[in-house]
Amino acid sequence: MPRQPLSDDLARLRRENEELRARADEAERRSGLFSAICDALADPVLVTDGGYRILLENRRARSLFHASPGDPDERRRMVEVNNFLFTSFLARPRPPMVEARELTLVDPDTGNELLFEAVPAPLPAGAAVPRDATVSLLRDVTELRKTSNQLGHQVRRAQQAEVRARGERDQLNLILAHVGAPVVVTDHRGAVVMMNREAQRIFRPDAIPGGAPDAAAAANADRFFAAVEEFALGEEAAAVTRVDLREPSSRQDLPAELISGRIRDGDGATAAVVSILHDLTHEVENARLAAELARVNAGLEHSIREATAELKDQNRELAWQRQELERAYRHKSEFLASMSHELRTPINALLGYTSLLRERIYGDLTPRQDQALVRIHSSSEHLLELVDDILDLAKIEAGRMPLHLEPLDIASLIGELTDGVEPLARRKGLQLRVDVPEALPVLVTDRFRVKQVVLNLLSNAIKFTHEGTVSVRTRQLEGGVEVQVADTGIGIPPDELASIFDDFRQVDQSSTREYGGTGLGLSIVRKLLGLLGGAIRVESEPGQGSVFTVTLPLRSVEAREGEEAIRRAMQGEAVIVHDGVARPLPPPDSARG
């Protein structure tokens, strides 16, 4: 057989190659179309091998089971959870027939829980299909389950509402049947719709099992329904009518009050009339009791008048006693105020002689003697401070506290005080912060008393603060200056804020032993500010600290003390104002008593 030319073999090979290429292109097109169709599905589709590894998946499945290297850690953890849940789902024993089973996953982007109906089906083995391969379709039923739950909830609510309505209707019927007053419901034509048992006993005893017609009941019905019919013909929404009936069983008079109300339909016409009969038999007894009560009240009024006269006598006696107490208290304050020199002199002598002894004026001392003198000197200084506080309080109460008016640079005073207490704050490990603007107005006030006020607040802040900060801030107000002392100390309970300015008062009386002091500091501060025309307020929270805010006026002189004192003080002259009179300040060596 003659052999075919080589060109024919090449042509045949080209045709077969083109056919294979066309088949490959078609297969690739179909594969791309199939992938596009799978990616277009809203539900995840996955193909897994026998080891539950994902071989193929559509776009929705990749969003649930795959994470990129740049994804946040939280999303990567969610993807790991989904893979674990899906693998566990596939590993569970499968029923003989392919059926949907529930699978719970997590949305990696939002963290919300998703519910799927998963339908796993085995793939037939082939050249391109691994053994034990499975295709799984996950149908998202999250919203469907929510809707189903909502519908079920609404159905249950409707059923419960129906049960409640039925129960309320039965309960209403039961209440009407057992209510003690006669109740009758009639329609717009006057026909009886409902009548409780008590109404039947009064109007229709024959309607009660075992009852019989009664003439008195018939007469009662005639009067009653005549009144109801008259009301129904009118337009009033409700009416009260007096009707006289008779008790069928005892034949006694039964005065009653008929209360009728109209029920209208959607068009405003009368649909029904509800009538309730109120027994007035007890009205007479009530009237008798009212008369008896009036007689008793008259007797009580007489007794009250006598008691009132006795109370007036007692009040007059109490008023006299109060005046005597006030006089004695005033004499006490005046005595203490006048005794300032006598009380300070022996204490100053103690301080002077202990200082001389410690300076070895009277000879050498042993260490124990020197230590004893230090304690005597410290105790004397503390006693002098206590005496000064008590005497200041007595002077203020006796009206004998003079004001020494002079121009005051408040910023300079704050700097002087903070420099003085800074070593004490540093020893306690506290941070002292000062915020004082440069442009503050010059005050006309008593420099010593303002210094006494601010120093007291600073000392208290440091004393009651174990750690943190003590801050001093000032700012200009309209007509004055505000000084604020804040700390991070023990704070003050809300129920104690109103009493911290009382005489001899500390927040916790037991803290006097821990922190020392007489409890007069804040009381004197408030009284001094009252003399200076200023005010103080406090804000505090236990364990968080306290903020004391002082306001000082530009001129610490009341109107009764005149403009002359202000004018002389503004000219730089130190002026003392006492009992409404302005005088030059005594020489520096004079006692300020």
Side-chain angles (χ1 to χ4, degrees), residues 135-403:
V135 60
S136 300
L137 174 63
L138 309 183
R139 187 162 63 92
D140 192 345
V141 295
T142 305
E143 295 300 326
L144 182 62
R145 178 59 59 87
K146 289 181 181 178
T147 304
S148 176
N149 292 337
Q150 291 174 355
L151 289 175
H153 181 65
Q154 292 177 359
V155 169
R156 286 192 297 273
R157 289 181 58 185
Q159 292 173 345
Q160 292 171 359
E162 183 179 358
V163 171
R164 285 196 301 270
R166 188 183 305 113
E168 291 173 357
R169 184 171 61 252
D170 295 341
Q171 185 179 16
L172 178 60
N173 292 334
L174 184 63
I175 292 173
L176 290 177
H178 292 81
V179 72
V183 179
V184 179
V185 181
T186 56
D187 61 14
H188 64 285
R189 294 186 298 270
V192 176
V193 176
M194 192 278 294
M195 180 183 294
N196 68 349
R197 186 178 181 85
E198 186 64 19
Q200 291 175 343
R201 189 185 68 81
I202 298 296
F203 303 120
R204 294 181 181 175
D206 55 322
I208 302 175
D214 184 86
N220 289 340
D222 291 340
R223 297 189 185 95
F224 175 81
F225 286 107
V228 172
E229 182 179 358
E230 182 178 356
F231 168 75
L233 293 175
E235 294 297 330
E236 301 89 346
V240 179
T241 308
R242 176 70 180 267
V243 292
D244 294 319
L245 308 175
R246 291 181 69 83
E247 178 64 42
S249 57
S250 64
R251 294 297 194 267
Q252 293 181 354
D253 291 340
L254 180 63
E257 191 176 60
L258 176 61
I259 304 172
S260 300
R262 193 185 308 275
I263 300 177
R264 301 182 184 275
D265 57 17
D267 297 329
T270 300
V273 174
V274 179
S275 302
I276 302 175
L277 208 62
H278 175 56
D279 188 356
L280 298 180
T281 303
H282 298 294
E283 293 289 336
V284 176
E285 180 65 15
N286 291 339
R288 185 189 68 79
L289 293 176
E292 180 67 17
L293 182 62
R295 185 184 66 79
V296 173
N297 284 339
L300 288 175
E301 289 177 358
H302 177 70
S303 300
I304 290 173
R305 283 195 294 271
E306 292 181 348
T308 302
E310 184 178 353
L311 285 175
K312 288 181 179 178
D313 294 338
Q314 294 178 356
N315 287 337
R316 283 192 293 270
E317 183 177 356
L318 289 174
W320 177 81
Q321 293 177 354
R322 186 190 64 188
Q323 293 174 358
E324 291 298 316
L325 288 174
E326 290 176 350
R327 186 180 299 111
Y329 188 75
R330 186 168 58 254
H331 289 166
K332 180 266 298 181
S333 299
E334 292 174 354
F335 170 76
L336 288 176
S338 63
M339 288 292 293
S340 61
H341 179 72
E342 286 74 8
L343 289 172
R344 285 191 178 97
T345 298
I347 299 175
N348 287 327
L350 283 173
L351 292 171
Y353 278 110
T354 52
S355 297
L356 293 175
L357 287 171
R358 293 195 64 216
E359 292 174 2
R360 308 305 193 268
I361 299 298
Y362 300 105
D364 293 335
L365 300 174
T366 66
R368 292 184 63 186
Q369 289 173 337
D370 186 66
Q371 184 180 8
L373 289 174
V374 169
R375 292 179 179 176
I376 293 173
H377 193 276
S378 176
S379 299
S380 299
E381 287 183 335
H382 181 60
L383 179 59
L384 184 60
E385 291 177 0
L386 299 182
V387 171
D388 286 340
D389 285 346
I390 295 174
L391 292 178
D392 283 345
L393 182 64
K395 285 182 180 180
I396 295 173
E397 292 176 346
R400 298 178 60 180
M401 175 67 75
L403 294 180

Side-chain angles (χ1 to χ4, degrees), residues 102-147:
E102 287 190 353
L103 172 62
T104 302
L105 299 177
V106 182
D107 189 335
D109 297 320
T110 64
N112 295 331
E113 184 178 287
L114 301 175
L115 182 64
F116 293 91
E117 280 189 353
V119 184
L123 289 175
V129 179
R131 184 180 178 183
D132 297 330
T134 301
V135 60
S136 300
L137 174 63
L138 309 183
R139 187 162 63 92
D140 192 345
V141 295
T142 305
E143 295 300 326
L144 182 62
R145 178 59 59 87
K146 289 181 181 178
T147 304

Side-chain angles (χ1 to χ4, degrees), residues 48-70:
T48 55
D49 61 11
Y52 311 125
R53 291 185 295 271
I54 298 175
L55 302 177
L56 295 173
E57 74 273 275
N58 66 347
R59 180 180 302 155
R60 177 56 176 154
R62 284 193 296 275
S63 68
L64 294 174
F65 298 100
H66 280 272
S68 301

Side-chain angles (χ1 to χ4, degrees), residues 402-419:
L403 294 180
H404 303 265
L405 300 181
E406 56 185 306
L408 173 62
D409 180 1
I410 189 66
S412 175
L413 178 63
I414 296 296
E416 174 186 340
L417 293 176
T418 53
D419 289 344

